[in-house]
Amino acid sequence: MAESIIPKRPSNDGEYSAIKANDRDCLSYAVAFNVPNERAFALFHPEFLDESGKLTKVGKQQCRQFFSYAKNKEYADAYKTTLESFTKSTTQTKSATHDTGESRMERAVKKLVSDVLDSIEYNNNLDPEALKDFVEVAKKLGVLKDEEEKAEAARRYLPARCLSECAYRLFCEQGVVNGDLLFECDYCRTRKFAEENGWKFDPIKNLDLPTETKI
């Protein structure tokens, strides 16, 4: 398996040899990826899962006891300190380059991809949420960055023909039919007077607009 891009254990890991390796992995995972305790515990202790993949009542009790155990809390604090030191060191050496000209950041991205692929291949219990957490931590460490937002050029929209293509016009007319909108022209006294004297109402021919306009 490829070398991890972040420390998997606290620098004084030897002091916690009494804690089982799987439990140390669980604690490291919870700290590094900042995930809820129950998610981490469920991932490393599937024996406490029910048929739906969730922790049983007993599993939740075991989880609370596990993360409240003094030695486990001490381990978690030690690992957090190790990660903080690693992050600081990484930030200070971002400009370092490989002999071939490849940047440290580029190599870190390749290692991240390799670690994720290895995790998928060798750890059958790794769920999609765990993979997502891998990427999130990498972003926090500056290994991966979100794509920069690209400025979009201004768009120009040309109006459609009102008679046959205007979606807004169709929406309004359907609203009148459904009773959701009030078409005030139907209640216009001027229109009523004009129609009584032979004028025919046509909503798209009410205006005599000038053919030439001044800008």
Side-chain angles (χ1 to χ4, degrees):
M1 184 179 292
E3 180 184 355
S4 175
I5 61 171
I6 62 174
K8 293 182 179 180
R9 295 279 192 273
S11 56
N12 59 337
D13 183 50
E15 298 178 16
Y16 305 100
S17 57
I19 302 176
K20 295 180 180 179
N22 187 63
D23 288 341
R24 279 182 284 168
D25 287 339
C26 179
L27 291 166
S28 294
Y29 174 77
V31 172
F33 301 115
N34 193 28
V35 300
N37 291 344
E38 287 191 2
R39 185 199 295 182
F41 192 78
L43 182 62
F44 288 88
H45 290 279
E47 66 272 18
F48 291 110
L49 300 181
D50 57 22
E51 295 180 355
S52 63
K54 297 181 179 180
L55 284 176
T56 61
K57 184 177 181 179
V58 174
K60 292 182 179 181
Q61 293 175 345
Q62 291 293 325
C63 175
R64 287 192 294 269
Q65 293 176 8
F66 177 79
F67 284 96
S68 62
Y69 182 55
K71 199 64 176 179
N72 289 353
K73 292 175 66 175
E74 184 180 330
Y75 174 93
D77 290 339
Y79 182 54
K80 186 180 299 184
T81 300
T82 297
L83 279 183
E84 290 173 351
S85 299
F86 172 80
T87 302
K88 183 177 180 181
S89 174
T90 301
T91 302
Q92 294 175 343
T93 58
K94 281 185 178 180
S95 60
T97 57
H98 191 267
D99 293 340
T100 61
E102 183 180 45
S103 71
R104 181 184 179 89
M105 195 64 67
E106 290 172 338
R107 285 181 285 135
V109 171
K110 289 182 178 180
K111 282 189 176 182
L112 173 64
V113 174
S114 177
D115 282 351
V116 171
L117 292 177
D118 286 340
S119 297
I120 296 174
E121 183 177 357
Y122 298 110
N123 190 343
N124 295 327
N125 292 323
L126 192 63
D127 60 15
E129 287 297 325
L131 296 181
K132 179 181 177 182
D133 292 333
F134 269 114
V135 177
E136 289 302 320
V137 169
K139 289 179 180 178
K140 291 180 181 179
L141 294 176
V143 177
L144 288 180
K145 294 183 179 180
D146 292 318
E147 293 184 3
E148 296 181 359
E149 295 184 0
K150 297 181 180 179
E152 183 177 353
R155 297 183 181 183
R156 177 177 295 175
Y157 296 91
L158 299 177
R161 292 176 293 179
C162 290
L163 181 60
S164 61
E165 298 177 3
C166 180
Y168 181 70
R169 171 179 173 271
L170 295 176
F171 168 79
C172 292
E173 291 183 346
Q174 188 61 47
V176 173
V177 173
N178 295 338
D180 299 325
L181 298 177
L182 181 66
F183 188 43
E184 295 183 357
C185 288
D186 289 340
Y187 304 91
C188 178
R189 286 179 289 183
T190 301
R191 171 187 168 186
K192 181 179 179 181
F193 175 80
E195 289 181 326
E196 290 175 349
N197 288 275
W199 179 73
K200 184 178 181 181
F201 174 73
D202 188 335
I204 65 174
K205 296 180 180 179
N206 282 343
L207 302 179
D208 289 326
L209 297 174
T211 56
E212 296 182 2
T213 57
K214 294 182 180 180
I215 301 177

